[in-house]
Amino acid sequence: MMCQPTPVTKEVPDSLQTQKTASLTSISSAGSTSKHIIQENNSNMDKSQSTTFSIKSFLFSLLLASILSIIILEFALWLPYQVPGLYDASIQTYIPAWYNYDIKNTKFDNSNWTYGTDYILTIVMFYLAYKCYFAKAPSNYPKGIIKNQNSFKLRAYSSSLLLCYGISTLAGGYSHQTFTSVDMLNTMKFRIFWIICVGNVSFASCYMGLIGREVQRIFGVRDTIPLGPW
């Protein structure tokens, strides 16, 4: 009668099993770390490329805006003298001052109706800017949080537009109330307030464009017009 041989089981020492488990864990950890590093490097590269593209876009937009400003200025100084029948009126109306005012050609309204209206407009603009910025969907409105997040830029741009108008009318009201003589108009202080007043009105057009962009992005047909990178 033949006996079936009994298989011999070779026991692996606990130290070797622990070492093998530690090696597998180390390899797995190394692979996970390597994958994380690769993903982080790719993310950093994307951020760097995005930042570089944004800087180039900003510089290009700044150059384009400067060129357009010069063209518009030259056109504004040229057009009034080209309208048939209005040449004589244009000569008497469009008189370059270049911050040098004289008694003969200077008429600066210092009445309380003028600066009072400016101050009223300032209060209205600041109030509307506040209401516009903090406007939110009701708490019980469906997906109100998402809507508030989506409308943030539109609210911020609209509020900034109103703030520009408010600062402009505030500077204008102060100027009309304070600078009551031609000599005062020829001071650096008046020039600063004039730049603040007119500059904010000019800069407000930037927010008009950004508001239009956000309206198109949120409510318009997607990809119908280029929105630009800014």
Side-chain angles (χ1 to χ4, degrees), residues 1-218:
M1 182 175 180
M2 298 180 63
C3 296
Q4 187 175 359
T6 303
V8 178
T9 304
K10 186 177 181 181
E11 295 183 359
V12 180
D14 294 339
S15 60
L16 292 179
Q17 290 181 349
T18 303
Q19 184 178 3
K20 182 178 179 181
T21 303
S23 299
L24 292 175
T25 304
S26 177
I27 293 173
S28 176
S29 176
S32 176
T33 303
S34 177
K35 183 178 179 181
H36 177 71
I37 292 174
I38 293 174
Q39 291 177 346
E40 185 176 354
N41 289 337
N42 291 335
S43 177
N44 291 335
M45 288 178 61
D46 293 339
K47 291 180 179 178
S48 177
Q49 292 176 354
S50 176
T51 301
T52 303
F53 179 74
S54 299
I55 293 175
K56 290 182 179 179
S57 175
F58 171 76
L59 293 176
F60 175 76
S61 300
L62 181 62
L63 176 62
L64 181 61
S66 300
I67 294 174
L68 289 176
S69 298
I70 295 174
I71 293 175
I72 293 173
L73 174 61
E74 294 299 325
F75 179 77
L77 295 174
W78 170 83
L79 179 63
Y81 303 99
Q82 310 304 318
V83 180
L86 298 180
Y87 180 81
D88 293 336
S90 298
I91 293 178
Q92 298 178 16
T93 304
Y94 298 96
I95 303 175
W98 306 116
Y99 301 107
N100 294 315
Y101 305 99
D102 55 36
I103 298 177
K104 178 181 178 181
N105 297 309
T106 302
K107 302 294 182 183
F108 197 62
D109 190 355
N110 300 114
S111 66
N112 54 1
W113 288 104
T114 298
Y115 60 77
T117 303
D118 283 340
Y119 290 146
I120 292 174
L121 287 173
T122 299
I123 296 173
V124 172
M125 292 299 109
F126 285 167
Y127 175 76
L128 292 178
Y130 171 82
K131 296 292 289 185
C132 190
Y133 185 82
F134 291 100
K136 293 183 179 180
S139 57
N140 59 348
Y141 195 84
K143 298 181 179 180
I145 297 177
I146 298 177
K147 289 183 179 295
N148 292 334
Q149 293 175 348
N150 292 337
S151 67
F152 174 75
K153 285 187 176 181
L154 182 59
R155 291 184 284 113
Y157 293 149
S158 301
S159 178
S160 299
L161 172 67
L162 295 168
L163 285 176
C164 281
Y165 288 146
I167 295 173
S168 175
T169 53
L170 179 61
Y174 178 84
S175 299
H176 284 288
Q177 182 182 11
T178 306
F179 301 98
T180 56
S181 66
V182 174
D183 291 337
M184 297 180 70
L185 298 179
N186 288 311
T187 60
M188 179 58 67
K189 184 178 180 180
F190 175 78
R191 182 181 300 190
I192 293 173
F193 275 90
W194 187 94
I195 292 174
I196 293 174
C197 179
V198 180
N200 274 278
V201 173
S202 301
F203 194 76
S205 60
C206 297
Y207 291 114
M208 292 181 186
L210 291 172
I211 290 171
R213 179 186 186 278
E214 282 302 300
V215 170
Q216 166 61 25
R217 185 182 68 84
I218 298 174

